[in-house]
Amino acid sequence: MAVRIRRTLSSATLLLCGLSLSCPPPGQAAAVGDDTIGSDGYVHVAPNGVVLGVDPYYPTDGNGGYDVGDYTVGLSYDPAARFLTAKAVVTATTTQRLSRFNLDLRGLVVTSVKVNGTPARFTRAKEHELVITPSAVLEADTRFTVEVVYCGRPQPEHVPGRGATGWRTTWSGGVIAAGAPHSASTWFPVNDTSVDKATFHLDATVPAGWSVVSTGVRTSVHNGTHSWSEDVPVAPSTTMVAIDRFTVRESTLADGTAVLDAFGPATSTSLAKSLPAALEFLTGRLGPFPFPATGGVYLADRLAPSPPSQGRPVHGGGADQAALVQALASQWWGNQLSVKMWKDQAMVESFARYLVWLWEEGRGGPAVEQRYQDSLRRVGADAAFWGRKLADPGVGREFSVADKGVLMVHALRKHIGDGPFFTVLRDYPEIAVQLNQGWYDWELYTAAVADKDLSEFHEAWVHGTTLPPAELR
C-alpha cells in the first residue's frame, strides 16, 4: 500500500490562492441507495457484463458515472515560490444519471468548481477525492464539462520501492510530474484509472528562461506560455509535464516521426543519440511507432526506472541504453496496450524488458537463450524469487516482478516457437489499440495464436509460486 504524507496548508498559502479561511460548502448528503451517486472507485466490468469490481490494489483509483473525453489544463508556475495556479476543464459523458460525482486530486486548494458553466458545490474526502455536486442532476449519456480552479504547492506521492512519483522538484529548481501508479492526480483533477483514456491539452506559463515539456506535440510558445496537445487518448499515469531551463532540440526520424528532446541543466546529450537506432529496431519488431511524436526529457536527477510517459519518456542521470529501449518499448507494451488493473502491470513490463534483451543481443550482447539459462542457474529454486506471482504480485509490488516475467516471456517463446511468439510480440499491442487488457485476455490470445492448450504453462509461470517444471522451462 502506498504510504502518503499528510500535508497541511498554511494561512499564507490560502491567501495566495485568494481564499478566506472558511471551508467550501459541503456536498449534498446522498440518500441511502441513491443510484445517481457516482462511485469513488472505478468499477471494472468484463465484456460479457460480469462486474469485476474495483482495482484490488488501489480501490479508490478512478471514479464511476462518466467517461472523460478530454482534459484541458491551463496553469502558471512560479519556480522560485514553487507555486502553481491552474484551471482544468474536464469534458466527459455521463454513463448514468449523476447528482454527484468525484474527480481525483491529491493535495492543492480548490477555489471553485463549475459544471456546465454553473457553480457547483464541492468538498474533499479521503486522500484524493474531490466530490462535486452539480446544481442540477446530469442525465445519462449526456456530454458535460467540469471547470476546476485550484492552486498550491504540488507534492509527490511516496510509493514503497519506487520512491517519489508524480510532481516533484528537481535539483536545478525545476519540476517533473511523471510515473505510476499516480502522477496526474498530483497536479490536475483527473479520473485516475488507466481504463479511462482521454485527449490532453496543456497551456503552461512560466518565467522567461524557463521551458515546459509535456505529452504530445508542442503547438506554440508565446509570451512565456508553452502549449502542448496530445490527440491520441492517454492514460492519466502516462501523462507528463516537466519545467526547467531546458535546452530543446527538435528533429525528424526517417519515417516522419517528430522528435523533441529536452535536456535539463548539467545533462549529456549522449543517450538521446541512441533513440533513432532504438526506434528503428523496435519498429522492425513491433510495427510503426504508435504516436505522432517522440523524444525524451533528460534530467541530472536519478530516476529509477525511467517513467515511460506516452510518446516522450523521462530519463534521469543514471539511465542507460537499456532504460531508454525499455521506455520506448513500453510505448507499445504499456501505452498503446494498457493494463486493466495494476495487478496486470507485469504483463506489459515483462515484454518491454524482453525487447531490451533482443536489442542487446542484436548489438553484440549475450544471446537471449544464454542469458535466460544463466538467469535460471543464478536464481535456482530460490523460494523468494519464484514465490512472487506474476498475475498478482501484491499491492506495492506490481512493478517488482519483471525480472521473473522476462524469464516467462522467453520460456513462452521456447514453448510455442518463434513464429507464434513473434506474432504475439508484434500483433497483441496492435489489435489492442486504445484497449485495456489483463492477464486473462493475454492468456486467451496466446493460446489462440499458438493453437494449443497453454493452461499448464500459464498456471506454472503466470499463476505459480514455485520453479516451473523442466518441461516448461
Side-chain angles (χ1 to χ4, degrees), residues 49-98:
V50 174
V51 176
L52 303 176
V54 296
D55 190 310
Y57 292 2
Y58 305 102
T60 58
D61 274 12
N63 304 283
Y66 61 91
D67 287 326
V68 178
D70 178 74
Y71 297 101
T72 296
V73 180
L75 66 83
S76 178
Y77 183 68
D78 180 355
R82 298 185 179 180
F83 199 83
L84 173 77
T85 57
K87 179 176 74 174
V89 177
V90 182
T91 303
T93 301
T94 57
T95 58
Q96 63 178 74
R97 295 184 78 235
L98 282 179

Side-chain angles (χ1 to χ4, degrees), residues 350-351 353-355 357-358 361 366-376 390 402-418 421-422 425 442 457 461 472-473:
S350 299
F351 275 87
R353 185 172 293 195
Y354 190 70
L355 282 154
W357 281 23
L358 294 174
E361 178 184 56
V368 291
E369 171 65 13
Q370 186 62 53
R371 194 167 185 172
Y372 171 78
Q373 295 294 343
D374 290 345
S375 297
L376 288 179
L390 290 179
D403 54 344
K404 177 183 175 182
V406 71
L407 300 182
M408 178 276 295
V409 174
H410 188 67
L412 176 70
R413 177 182 174 182
K414 290 160 64 74
H415 193 64
I416 67 176
D418 276 7
F421 173 79
F422 284 106
L425 184 70
W442 176 84
F457 180 90
W461 276 100
L472 297 177
R473 302 200 302 267

Side-chain angles (χ1 to χ4, degrees), residues 111-163:
T111 59
S112 72
V113 175
K114 293 180 181 179
V115 177
N116 292 332
T118 301
R121 294 213 238 176
F122 64 93
T123 189
R124 308 299 289 270
K126 300 179 181 177
E127 294 175 304
H128 59 82
E129 301 290 348
L130 174 60
V131 185
I132 300 170
T133 304
S135 61
V137 173
L138 303 174
E139 296 301 322
D141 302 315
T142 301
R143 184 177 178 272
F144 69 103
T145 60
V146 185
E147 176 192 284
V148 181
V149 179
Y150 58 100
C151 60
R153 294 184 177 89
Q155 300 291 328
E157 182 191 40
H158 294 272
V159 180
R162 290 179 68 79

Side-chain angles (χ1 to χ4, degrees), residues 247-267:
T247 298
V248 176
R249 296 184 181 178
E250 296 183 80
S251 59
T252 304
L253 297 178
D255 64 0
T257 301
V259 178
L260 186 146
D261 291 314
F263 303 95
T267 57

